[in-house]
Amino acid sequence: MQYVYIHGFGTTGAGSNKFRLIKDFAEQNNDKAIALEWNEFQQDIVEQLTKQLEQSVQWHEPICLIGSSTGGNFTYQLLEKFADKKLFFVLINPLLNVEQRKIENLNFPLALADQLKNPQENLSNGLVILGKNDEVLDYQYTYDRLHAANKIITGDWNHTLSNLKSTLFIELISNFSIKKI
């Protein structure tokens, strides 16, 4: 199994707590964990992520894309781009559209917002983890758009899931990925 993590705005992949948990779990199970990196100053983020993905994975092995927040948006853009590959996905408090943001953050670049894309209606069979206490994004917005065709798990978690037990976070992802292999 290959777990490919795509971080959100204002963080890094390899340095994030979520990726460290995923990486530790992967190493304990002789699996591979990869963090794709992007920043808001890049012109074509999805193209940059595509190149990193192509250089990092073995296409003949199962691949689970895990996208957090803005990284969730880029995750489903990659799913569309690689529709011919066997990929499955986990979205963590994904940013589907800038209109779901709860906060007025002048630091969210317009150039980045222009690279976001609404998910296609056929985005299905994934796991979506939503925090009801997300202080950044309206979780109901995501729930309303993705619940019919995906497995949704909600809890009293915040945007970063820092109040979700590490063991439960990994358990949710591992149980989902085992069923997909």
Side-chain angles (χ1 to χ4, degrees):
M1 174 66 66
Q2 300 168 94
Y3 297 96
V4 179
Y5 180 73
I6 305 170
H7 65 87
F9 172 61
T11 64
T12 64
S16 79
N17 187 48
K18 285 180 237 137
F19 178 71
R20 284 193 296 270
L21 293 171
I22 293 164
K23 185 176 183 207
D24 289 347
F25 170 77
E27 288 174 353
Q28 291 168 10
N29 291 281
N30 295 316
D31 290 328
K32 185 175 180 181
I34 302 157
L36 302 185
E37 299 291 349
W38 63 272
N39 68 62
E40 65 274 17
F41 304 109
Q42 290 172 306
Q43 294 298 316
D44 190 348
I45 294 171
V46 173
E47 188 57 36
Q48 297 300 319
L49 294 172
T50 297
K51 289 176 185 174
Q52 291 176 56
L53 185 64
E54 289 174 331
Q55 293 171 357
S56 303
V57 299
Q58 302 296 319
W59 291 110
H60 63 277
E61 294 179 22
I63 300 168
C64 178
L65 297 180
I66 303 170
S68 182
S69 193
T70 308
N73 194 290
F74 296 135
T75 295
Y76 61 73
Q77 290 186 56
L78 288 172
L79 288 166
E80 291 174 6
K81 193 169 192 117
F82 291 102
D84 62 324
K85 305 291 185 190
K86 185 170 170 54
L87 302 171
F88 55 97
F89 66 94
V90 176
L91 302 178
I92 303 164
N93 290 323
L95 175 60
L96 302 184
N97 189 304
V98 271
E99 70 185 37
Q100 83 183 98
R101 289 178 52 87
K102 289 182 176 179
I103 56 176
E104 286 292 323
N105 185 342
L106 300 177
N107 294 327
F108 196 85
L110 183 59
L112 177 57
D114 288 343
Q115 295 188 60
L116 301 177
K117 186 176 175 185
N118 290 323
Q120 291 184 352
E121 290 185 19
N122 64 355
L123 180 66
S124 61
N125 298 315
L127 172 63
V128 182
I129 302 172
L130 297 175
K132 291 181 182 178
N133 294 327
D134 188 329
E135 68 282 8
V136 177
L137 302 175
D138 176 6
Y139 91 94
Q140 193 67 49
Y141 183 98
T142 303
Y143 183 88
D144 291 345
R145 283 152 184 81
L146 298 181
H147 79 279
N150 296 281
K151 179 177 175 107
I152 306 281
I153 297 178
T154 60
D156 294 326
W157 311 306
N158 60 20
H159 185 69
T160 61
L161 302 183
S162 62
N163 59 334
L164 172 63
K165 284 181 164 178
S166 301
T167 52
L168 179 57
F169 174 68
I170 291 302
E171 186 179 310
L172 293 172
I173 293 171
S174 65
N175 287 344
F176 177 74
S177 59
I178 288 169
K179 292 175 185 172
K180 291 293 183 179
I181 297 178

